[in-house]
mmCIF file of all heavy atoms in Angstrom:
data_model
loop_
_atom_site.group_PDB
_atom_site.id
_atom_site.type_symbol
_atom_site.label_atom_id
_atom_site.label_comp_id
_atom_site.label_asym_id
_atom_site.label_seq_id
_atom_site.Cartn_x
_atom_site.Cartn_y
_atom_site.Cartn_z
ATOM 1 N N PRO A 332 92.334 120.711 94.606
ATOM 2 C CA PRO A 332 92.579 120.487 96.038
ATOM 3 C C PRO A 332 93.402 121.621 96.634
ATOM 4 O O PRO A 332 94.369 122.087 96.039
ATOM 5 C CB PRO A 332 93.337 119.165 96.056
ATOM 6 C CG PRO A 332 92.872 118.455 94.829
ATOM 7 C CD PRO A 332 92.685 119.540 93.790
ATOM 8 N N GLY A 333 92.996 122.052 97.817
ATOM 9 C CA GLY A 333 93.631 123.179 98.474
ATOM 10 C C GLY A 333 93.022 124.519 98.137
ATOM 11 O O GLY A 333 93.359 125.522 98.782
ATOM 12 N N GLY A 334 92.141 124.549 97.167
ATOM 13 C CA GLY A 334 91.505 125.788 96.760
ATOM 14 C C GLY A 334 90.337 126.165 97.635
ATOM 15 O O GLY A 334 90.039 125.510 98.636
ATOM 16 N N SER A 335 89.654 127.236 97.234
ATOM 17 C CA SER A 335 88.560 127.793 98.024
ATOM 18 C C SER A 335 87.350 128.094 97.160
ATOM 19 O O SER A 335 87.465 128.388 95.969
ATOM 20 C CB SER A 335 88.997 129.094 98.712
ATOM 21 O OG SER A 335 90.056 128.880 99.622
ATOM 22 N N LEU A 336 86.191 128.020 97.786
ATOM 23 C CA LEU A 336 84.935 128.453 97.203
ATOM 24 C C LEU A 336 84.104 129.099 98.289
ATOM 25 O O LEU A 336 84.267 128.787 99.471
ATOM 26 C CB LEU A 336 84.147 127.278 96.609
ATOM 27 C CG LEU A 336 84.652 126.619 95.329
ATOM 28 C CD1 LEU A 336 83.843 125.357 95.051
ATOM 29 C CD2 LEU A 336 84.552 127.576 94.158
ATOM 30 N N ARG A 337 83.212 129.983 97.885
ATOM 31 C CA ARG A 337 82.247 130.536 98.816
ATOM 32 C C ARG A 337 80.848 130.318 98.268
ATOM 33 O O ARG A 337 80.508 130.820 97.189
ATOM 34 C CB ARG A 337 82.468 132.030 99.079
ATOM 35 C CG ARG A 337 81.574 132.542 100.222
ATOM 36 C CD ARG A 337 81.828 133.982 100.592
ATOM 37 N NE ARG A 337 81.260 134.910 99.631
ATOM 38 C CZ ARG A 337 80.926 136.166 99.912
ATOM 39 N NH1 ARG A 337 81.127 136.646 101.146
ATOM 40 N NH2 ARG A 337 80.427 136.954 98.972
ATOM 41 N N LEU A 338 80.047 129.572 99.014
ATOM 42 C CA LEU A 338 78.670 129.316 98.655
ATOM 43 C C LEU A 338 77.768 130.378 99.275
ATOM 44 O O LEU A 338 78.004 130.832 100.392
ATOM 45 C CB LEU A 338 78.219 127.939 99.135
ATOM 46 C CG LEU A 338 79.099 126.743 98.746
ATOM 47 C CD1 LEU A 338 78.446 125.448 99.223
ATOM 48 C CD2 LEU A 338 79.349 126.710 97.250
ATOM 49 N N SER A 339 76.732 130.750 98.542
ATOM 50 C CA SER A 339 75.755 131.706 99.027
ATOM 51 C C SER A 339 74.363 131.120 98.877
ATOM 52 O O SER A 339 74.085 130.379 97.930
ATOM 53 C CB SER A 339 75.825 133.023 98.248
ATOM 54 O OG SER A 339 77.077 133.638 98.375
ATOM 55 N N CYS A 340 73.493 131.470 99.796
ATOM 56 C CA CYS A 340 72.101 131.045 99.738
ATOM 57 C C CYS A 340 71.247 132.214 100.186
ATOM 58 O O CYS A 340 71.352 132.657 101.331
ATOM 59 C CB CYS A 340 71.876 129.823 100.631
ATOM 60 S SG CYS A 340 70.161 129.286 100.751
ATOM 61 N N THR A 341 70.404 132.692 99.298
ATOM 62 C CA THR A 341 69.587 133.867 99.563
ATOM 63 C C THR A 341 68.114 133.513 99.559
ATOM 64 O O THR A 341 67.621 132.870 98.625
ATOM 65 C CB THR A 341 69.862 134.957 98.520
ATOM 66 O OG1 THR A 341 71.231 135.352 98.583
ATOM 67 C CG2 THR A 341 68.990 136.185 98.782
ATOM 68 N N ALA A 342 67.420 133.933 100.596
ATOM 69 C CA ALA A 342 65.986 133.691 100.723
ATOM 70 C C ALA A 342 65.199 134.888 100.224
ATOM 71 O O ALA A 342 65.590 136.045 100.424
ATOM 72 C CB ALA A 342 65.619 133.403 102.175
ATOM 73 N N SER A 343 64.081 134.611 99.587
ATOM 74 C CA SER A 343 63.183 135.666 99.149
ATOM 75 C C SER A 343 61.748 135.216 99.360
ATOM 76 O O SER A 343 61.465 134.024 99.462
ATOM 77 C CB SER A 343 63.419 136.031 97.685
ATOM 78 O OG SER A 343 63.163 134.919 96.834
ATOM 79 N N GLY A 344 60.842 136.172 99.405
ATOM 80 C CA GLY A 344 59.444 135.873 99.618
ATOM 81 C C GLY A 344 58.914 136.541 100.865
ATOM 82 O O GLY A 344 59.403 137.588 101.282
ATOM 83 N N SER A 345 57.914 135.922 101.465
ATOM 84 C CA SER A 345 57.278 136.461 102.661
ATOM 85 C C SER A 345 58.080 136.040 103.883
ATOM 86 O O SER A 345 57.949 134.917 104.374
ATOM 87 C CB SER A 345 55.838 135.973 102.764
ATOM 88 O OG SER A 345 55.200 136.509 103.906
ATOM 89 N N ILE A 346 58.918 136.940 104.371
ATOM 90 C CA ILE A 346 59.837 136.635 105.459
ATOM 91 C C ILE A 346 59.671 137.650 106.574
ATOM 92 O O ILE A 346 59.871 138.848 106.356
ATOM 93 C CB ILE A 346 61.293 136.632 104.966
ATOM 94 C CG1 ILE A 346 61.493 135.584 103.872
ATOM 95 C CG2 ILE A 346 62.246 136.387 106.137
ATOM 96 C CD1 ILE A 346 62.836 135.662 103.198
ATOM 97 N N PHE A 347 59.325 137.158 107.744
ATOM 98 C CA PHE A 347 59.318 137.995 108.932
ATOM 99 C C PHE A 347 60.686 137.971 109.606
ATOM 100 O O PHE A 347 61.213 139.023 109.986
ATOM 101 C CB PHE A 347 58.225 137.544 109.910
ATOM 102 C CG PHE A 347 58.244 138.286 111.220
ATOM 103 C CD1 PHE A 347 57.714 139.555 111.319
ATOM 104 C CD2 PHE A 347 58.795 137.711 112.356
ATOM 105 C CE1 PHE A 347 57.720 140.250 112.516
ATOM 106 C CE2 PHE A 347 58.809 138.392 113.565
ATOM 107 C CZ PHE A 347 58.267 139.667 113.638
#
Side-chain angles (χ1 to χ4, degrees):
S335 298
L336 289 171
R337 189 176 76 156
L338 308 184
S339 299
C340 175
T341 299
S343 62
S345 181
I346 300 171
F347 175 79

